[in-house]
């Protein structure tokens, strides 16, 4: 490609949430198929050759615990920094972006990923990084399987059924030219966006989409933990 | 309610698919947590007091097998008819609607459900039937958890991020005044719609939405089978 971006690629794993839906337990440390949830997520980044380093964004209160976790689970060779996040996901990503641009890491490409998506694979990450090297912005997503409805009012009533064709559900990783995403965050300021891709879209830069996997879902509820555990055990058992 | 609809309620369980994504195996008969997938689906309708009878729509080729399945798994007291479906889901629902209106069944309310959603519960069905008695049209759905993206082109590029607020993913059951849904199907003719709710929306009749459950997903892939099995075993083990 004419526009190929070279330079290092850094994973920014955002694990600074409050896990309100899981009764205050810090979800990323919850046990899942024999290890903490976040260990599955970080293992995928560790095993991904397209990733040169990892920045973990932790909540202020769990920062110490995160350092210990990274060391205990032997991610410290690839995790270049553990940084405190902000009050919102957007602020947390911004903190990760800054760390990924520091002299010690100096990455040209970032792969922003939700810590609570433990079923991501090295392949999904690598494809995002490769696409971001080409296009500057790559979004992992899956085509909507169910009909999407626009719903309004109380009681809620359907106000529209957009054509299912062309509707995708965004996941992470969302991979970007680091400078581009930084610019998008700066321009957005404190205006909340639904995700990083939306900030880059707002700049007018095209965001290219590639297909992830249904299993790469975000673990939010106890039911999700059951699902994730079943899928991880199956994956582990089959050696895939 | 002023407009309360009385009369019998009939489940229309559509199990006439081809299961192309599962390598030609007839998905509804696939083994799931110790019994055929469809047995879980029908058990929920059997246990639901709001349902007076069930029509099963089967593919032409599996009609005989479906009769035997219904008898073998002791659904024959509540299953009032097994009818052959059509070439499309819409035609299959239409066949079920006709059967649900026959003299022997004569239902005023229908609860149209995908046979391949085995994790539906009696409660989810009952809430849909009650709401359809009030409003004529009730759609089971869940709020979108991920950002929905409008995607176009090749390579695919994001062309829009609709506000996530108010976006729901449609499931089944979709419950209706039988006459209303019949009219909607007649007016649609062979014009394909994404779901039954969309046909009723096209008539200008309001479709009320109620919240289902994430677990009430449609089993499509082998990965879905793993997820469904894990959830059913958990539900069974906890006695819920």
């Amino acid at each position: 490609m004419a526009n190929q971006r070279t330079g290092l690629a850094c994973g920014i794993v955002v694990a600074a949430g409050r896990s309100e839906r899981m009764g205050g337990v810090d979800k990323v440390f919850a046990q899942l198929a024999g290890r903490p949830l976040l260990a599955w997520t970080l293992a995928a980044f560790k095993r991904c050759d397209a990733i040169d380093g990892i920045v973990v964004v932790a909540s202020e209160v769990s920062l110490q615990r995160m350092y210990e976790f990274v060391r205990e689970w032997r991610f410290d060779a690839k995790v270049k920094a553990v940084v405190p996040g902000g009050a919102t996901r957007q602020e947390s990503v911004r903190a990760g972006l800054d760390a990924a641009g520091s002299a010690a890491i100096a990455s040209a490409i970032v792969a922003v990923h939700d810590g609570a998506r433990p079923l991501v694979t090295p392949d999904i990450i690598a494809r995002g990084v490769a696409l971001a090297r080409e296009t500057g912005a790559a979004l992992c997503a899956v085509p909507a399987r169910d009909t999407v409805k626009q719903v309004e009012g109380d009681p809620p009533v359907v106000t529209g059924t957009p054509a299912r064709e062309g509707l995708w559900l965004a996941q992470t990783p969302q991979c970007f030219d680091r400078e581009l995403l930084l610019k998008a965050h700066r321009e957005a300021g404190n205006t909340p966006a639904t995700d990083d891709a939306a900030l880059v879209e707002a700049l007018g830069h095209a965001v290219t989409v590639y297909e992830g996997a249904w299993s790469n879902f975000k673990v939010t509820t106890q039911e999700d933990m059951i699902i994730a555990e079943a899928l991880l055990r199956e994956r582990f058992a089959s050696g895939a």
Side-chain angles (χ1 to χ4, degrees), chain A:
Chain A
M1 299 293 288
N3 200 20
Q4 189 75 27
R5 290 160 186 79
T6 54
L8 299 178
C10 181
I12 296 177
V13 175
V14 183
R18 300 268 162 81
S19 306
E20 281 149 13
R21 292 195 230 184
M22 287 185 50
V25 178
D26 204 342
K27 176 174 58 182
V28 295
F29 296 118
Q31 283 294 312
L32 182 68
R35 48 170 100 170
L37 188 159
L38 188 62
W40 292 104
T41 311
L42 289 180
F45 279 81
K46 182 180 177 179
R47 284 162 50 214
C48 178
D49 292 336
I51 292 291
D52 301 295
I54 303 167
V55 170
V56 177
V57 186
S59 64
E60 195 106 39
V61 293
S62 60
L63 207 53
Q64 186 58 39
R65 186 173 179 190
M66 190 65 82
Y67 281 121
E68 288 161 13
F69 164 81
V70 165
R71 203 172 329 111
E72 183 187 342
W73 286 88
R74 313 211 174 229
F75 293 118
D76 42 343
K78 201 152 181 182
V79 170
K80 306 297 182 191
V82 176
V83 298
T88 63
R89 185 179 187 284
Q90 206 157 318
E91 287 178 30
S92 295
V93 171
R94 177 63 194 274
L97 269 177
D98 287 340
S102 67
I105 305 178
S107 61
I109 298 288
V110 290
V112 180
H113 186 68
D114 298 322
R117 294 187 189 264
L119 281 123
V120 68
T121 62
D123 175 63
I124 287 174
I125 300 164
R127 286 191 287 130
V129 169
L131 194 55
R133 287 192 187 281
E134 274 180 33
T135 67
L139 168 68
C140 179
V142 287
R145 300 206 298 193
D146 295 311
T147 304
V148 176
K149 299 279 181 180
Q150 185 74 48
V151 174
E152 283 169 38
D154 181 22
V157 168
V158 178
T159 55
T161 301
R164 183 161 57 179
E165 194 82 13
L167 291 182
W168 290 57
L169 305 178
Q171 302 182 331
T172 69
Q174 302 193 356
C175 302
F176 305 94
D177 181 308
R178 198 189 71 88
E179 291 291 344
L180 175 67
L181 185 59
L182 197 58
K183 185 177 174 206
H185 271 261
R186 281 187 187 132
E187 302 236 335
N190 292 321
T191 311
T194 51
D195 60 0
D196 293 291
L199 294 177
V200 172
E201 291 159 36
L203 283 188
H205 187 103
V207 174
T208 318
V209 177
Y210 73 103
E211 191 160 352
W214 275 95
S215 50
N216 180 30
F217 69 100
K218 189 170 180 175
V219 173
T220 307
T221 64
Q222 280 299 343
E223 193 170 80
D224 295 339
M225 290 289 281
I226 296 165
I227 295 172
E229 172 125 4
L231 292 172
L232 284 167
R233 288 200 184 278
E234 176 80 11
R235 195 182 277 182
F236 184 75
S238 68

